Amino acid sequence: MSGNVRRGFQARRLRGDPRRVARHAVAASILAVASVRTQAPPAADTILVNGHVITVDARFSIAHAIAIAGGRFTAVGDDAAIRKLAGPKTTTIDLRGQTVIPGLADGHLHDAGGGPGVDLSRTRSLADVLAAVGARVKASRPGDIVVTNSDWHEAQLNEHRLPYRRDLDTVSRDNPVVVVRGGHEYILNSAALAKWGITKATPQPSGGRITRDAGGELNGELIDRAKALVQLPPAPPLTIEALVEQHRKLNAAGLTSIRYPGASVEQYRLLQQMEQRGLLTIRVNQLLRFGADNAEAMRAAIAASGLKPDEGDEWLRIGGMKLGVDGGFEGGWMRQPYAEPWGEGGAFSGVNTMKQSAYTDVVKALNRLGWRVATHAVGDAAVDEVLAGYEAANAERSIRGKRWTIEHGFIVDQDQFPRMKALDLVISAQDHLYLAGPSLVNYWGAARAGRTTPMRAYLDRGFVVAGGTDSPVVPYPPMWVMYHFVSRDTISGGVLGPDQKVSRKEALQVETINNAFLTFEERIKGSIEAGKLADLVVLPEDFLTCPEKDLEQMRVAMTMVGGKIVFTAAPAAVRKPLRAQ
Ligand SMILES: [Zn+2]
């Protein structure tokens, strides 16, 4: 099918409201059940009965049973109607009253975390961090570089602060240590600073910063483009086996669709091989990231890749081009200076990683070539740059209905909402605040931290918001995302910005149908309706009525993708058909 033609049509019909599509599918589902009674269609491969099915259709209707054939839902309704669809070869799953929701999606997930470095994901204090690093140092040879994994944050530590150079020196005098935190920063011990010749005389790199403590000494922290001063040992090459293992972990958390927010052509080729070999257990939409700083370099990179906008199918598809214009937690580019002075006397307002003129050039070139753009923008000054770039592209050739995005959109000001609306942008938002809340209060002050990721404001203004985590920056469990969006609770700093809470219904839409909308797939997934791909999750408690705190730690009982069980927590109540063999 020609993606662009159909997508343009969808976009016009939808006008930014995924619920409209769902309404058609509901009608189809009722018809499907009704027609069974008279025409006896082919039997289902699987039926799920005796459940509490939150369909997330247009009316947010509740059903009790589902029939699946050929990897798609064929009927959704009550037990009696669905049981009639069972034949001698149908597998029956008795849900025993458990809740079923559509398969969950993460619109911004780099990887599942982990890796060969020092694991800090379960540390809860600076002492834990130093013990973990120190143990690896002891097991290393003289001169070996000790590197940590990135999937942790200082807000999970009792002290709510980073381990700095002097802390790291206490566990490693001679081995260079590089603590990696999230996607935007390293912290080095003295041996590492010496190894790469970083001193107080090193100039601040453009688009990055070398941080100092209150006394003016280097504290070991390197942000954004300053990370280029360090050459880490190469990571082991990504393999199909590693991707399979990661996808299994994501399935166990209830994820059935992910969007990689900027990955390589090589990774896409591996995923294609996985699809051909039947190894994909999760649906993948991949944005490309080429790191091209000007239009000519971008055109050359695209030509060399041989990839086309939106190529792929329901398992694997190219979703657009990822760009970025500012830093992360510690470098989001703001209109107003940070509350934390960072040794710059109150003048620090974040990091601009791609200048306006270069950014606008690249965006316009991508638009001319028919590529959708997704831009990382954390601070309001970064959002200004993105809007200026998108508006310039839109003036040449409309981007409305093409679902260009702002990735993250932490801090957005009142005057920016109408401009975002005029461009028909979709918001890709994550639960960073859940993990990093206390740090963001330190960096930006309580008021600004409290309006980080303003979900209520986005939804009230009619934006489609697709949820996710930015894993491994924030751990991947989607239940954390929904818990945080409904409670605005944080892992260690209490509730921040309670006026931005959303309802459970909205949180579920954000994690399902809105993500399908983000990737132009709301007609084929994102809700439990006849005709859609049979992606679902079984939960032990009722998502809509259980105590709020239960949402945070709720474990998934079963995950199904395309009608196949890809994860089950315990032996499911599955009744296999009797086979004559
Ligand atoms: Zn990211």
Side-chain angles (χ1 to χ4, degrees):
M1 120 186 135
S2 159
N4 281 333
V5 173
R6 247 191 96 175
R7 277 155 196 201
F9 167 65
Q10 286 174 17
R12 273 195 301 282
R13 271 179 66 158
L14 285 163
R15 292 194 187 282
D17 181 0
R19 288 164 297 189
R20 288 193 195 190
V21 195
R23 204 168 297 141
H24 298 286
V26 174
S29 116
I30 292 163
L31 280 176
V33 175
S35 67
V36 166
R37 292 175 186 136
T38 51
Q39 292 174 14
D45 300 330
T46 305
I47 60 169
L48 296 91
V49 296
N50 192 22
H52 175 71
V53 182
I54 306 171
T55 63
V56 193
D57 65 12
R59 291 174 306 173
F60 215 78
S61 51
I62 304 296
H64 300 101
I66 303 164
I68 295 168
R72 290 180 180 256
F73 299 121
T74 53
V76 182
D78 60 31
D79 282 344
I82 298 300
R83 281 187 192 279
K84 285 185 187 142
L85 302 174
K89 292 186 176 164
T90 301
T91 298
T92 300
I93 298 178
D94 182 353
L95 293 163
R96 295 174 299 187
Q98 295 183 101
T99 292
V100 181
I101 58 175
L104 297 170
D106 190 320
H108 192 117
L109 178 143
H110 297 275
D111 62 60
V118 180
D119 178 9
L120 301 180
S121 65
R122 277 177 271 277
T123 56
R124 290 294 179 265
S125 67
L126 277 174
D128 290 350
V129 170
L130 296 176
V133 171
R136 181 67 66 95
V137 170
K138 283 211 180 78
S140 302
R141 289 165 307 189
D144 279 356
I145 303 168
V146 170
V147 183
T148 75
N149 292 338
S150 64
D151 52 343
W152 70 283
H153 191 277
E154 62 274 20
Q156 76 196 40
L157 310 180
N158 292 331
E159 295 85 353
H160 289 174
R161 74 161 176 90
L162 290 167
Y164 290 112
R165 169 192 188 177
R166 298 293 174 208
D167 303 305
L168 298 171
D169 285 350
T170 65
V171 292
S172 183
R173 208 173 57 98
D174 300 323
N175 287 81
V177 172
V178 180
V179 172
V180 181
R181 201 275 267 129
H184 296 267
E185 109 162 49
Y186 296 160
I187 308 106
L188 279 60
N189 69 343
S190 295
L193 288 170
K195 177 177 176 64
W196 286 290
I198 303 165
T199 68
K200 283 160 71 174
T202 307
Q204 289 288 355
S206 167
R209 57 194 312 280
I210 305 166
T211 305
R212 293 170 185 235
D213 62 25
E217 298 298 319
L218 298 187
N219 65 8
E221 200 180 6
L222 303 178
I223 294 175
D224 282 295
R225 296 206 174 190
K227 289 175 12 185
L229 297 167
V230 168
Q231 290 81 45
L232 293 185
L238 193 60
T239 61
I240 285 179
E241 291 68 32
L243 284 167
V244 166
E245 196 188 312
Q246 291 203 15
H247 293 172
R248 292 282 176 199
K249 285 197 209 171
L250 302 177
N251 291 151
L255 290 166
T256 61
S257 290
I258 52 173
R259 175 168 169 264
Y260 285 126
S264 65
V265 176
E266 293 72 31
Q267 176 167 325
Y268 181 67
R269 297 299 180 207
L270 284 182
L271 291 162
Q272 280 183 313
Q273 287 180 42
M274 288 170 69
E275 181 179 1
Q276 282 156 15
R277 290 166 54 185
L279 294 175
L280 279 180
T281 61
I282 199 160
R283 303 184 193 280
V284 177
N285 190 278
Q286 181 177 316
L287 304 178
L288 294 166
R289 177 144 210 185
F290 289 139
D293 268 355
N294 60 71
E296 193 42 52
M298 181 58 86
R299 276 190 289 268
I302 290 171
S305 78
L307 295 174
K308 305 244 166 350
D310 304 311
E311 72 166 60
D313 59 23
E314 68 202 32
W315 279 103
L316 174 63
R317 190 180 291 284
I318 290 289
M321 199 65 71
K322 170 81 177 294
L323 301 174
V325 298
D326 71 343
F329 301 129
E330 54 293 309
W333 187 29
M334 301 286 174
R335 287 175 171 180
Q336 305 298 326
Y338 281 39
E340 159 65 51
W342 295 123
E344 292 189 14
F348 182 67
S349 60
V351 176
N352 176 209
T353 56
M354 191 173 185
K355 297 284 174 240
Q356 182 79 65
S357 60
Y359 173 72
T360 301
D361 264 8
V362 170
V363 167
K364 283 161 77 172
L366 288 168
N367 193 34
R368 286 184 211 124
L369 293 168
W371 283 85
R372 182 174 314 112
V373 181
T375 308
H376 164 117
V378 164
D380 44 7
V383 171
D384 280 335
E385 177 167 327
V386 172
L387 291 174
Y390 285 8
E391 283 162 354
N394 186 60
E396 286 187 358
R397 176 181 172 185
S398 175
I399 65 166
R400 285 188 58 82
K402 294 184 181 170
R403 303 181 195 176
W404 285 27
T405 66
I406 290 181
E407 302 293 316
H408 312 314
F410 277 19
I411 302 297
V412 176
D413 296 323
Q414 293 299 326
D415 59 295
Q416 294 172 323
F417 288 116
R419 292 170 69 194
M420 291 161 67
K421 200 80 195 127
L423 296 167
D424 212 8
L425 301 186
V426 175
I427 311 300
S428 168
Q430 302 80 31
D431 61 341
H432 297 88
L433 188 64
Y434 176 68
L435 190 69
S439 301
L440 299 187
V441 171
N442 290 340
Y443 295 171
W444 304 335
R448 192 161 33 176
R451 62 188 183 90
T452 299
T453 315
M455 293 294 290
R456 184 75 268 148
Y458 284 139
L459 293 176
D460 286 350
R461 284 166 178 79
F463 288 99
V464 175
V465 184
T469 59
D470 205 5
S471 175
V473 178
V474 178
Y476 56 77
M479 298 304 293
W480 277 17
V481 181
M482 294 191 283
Y483 170 69
H484 170 68
F485 285 163
V486 303
S487 68
R488 294 288 285 192
D489 195 12
T490 61
I491 200 165
S492 61
V495 172
L496 276 175
D499 56 322
Q500 295 301 324
K501 286 182 188 179
V502 306
S503 69
R504 295 190 194 193
K505 173 180 165 183
E506 288 167 326
L508 203 47
Q509 288 169 329
V510 158
E511 289 292 287
T512 58
I513 190 75
N514 290 12
N515 256 291
F517 183 87
L518 174 74
T519 55
F520 285 89
E521 293 170 303
E522 70 277 12
R523 285 188 170 187
I524 61 165
K525 66 181 186 184
S527 59
I528 298 174
E529 300 180 73
K532 285 195 167 183
L533 297 167
D535 302 349
L536 62 80
V537 175
V538 178
L539 297 174
E541 288 180 77
D542 183 353
F543 180 87
L544 297 175
T545 59
C546 70
E548 187 170 88
K549 196 69 182 168
D550 286 12
L551 295 174
E552 189 180 26
Q553 303 300 340
M554 198 184 291
R555 305 298 285 258
V556 165
M558 186 178 92
T559 307
M560 196 178 250
V561 179
K564 291 209 171 76
I565 296 172
V566 294
F567 169 76
T568 179
V574 178
R575 211 173 318 132
K576 289 274 177 208
L578 293 171
R579 278 178 223 277
Q581 48 181 313

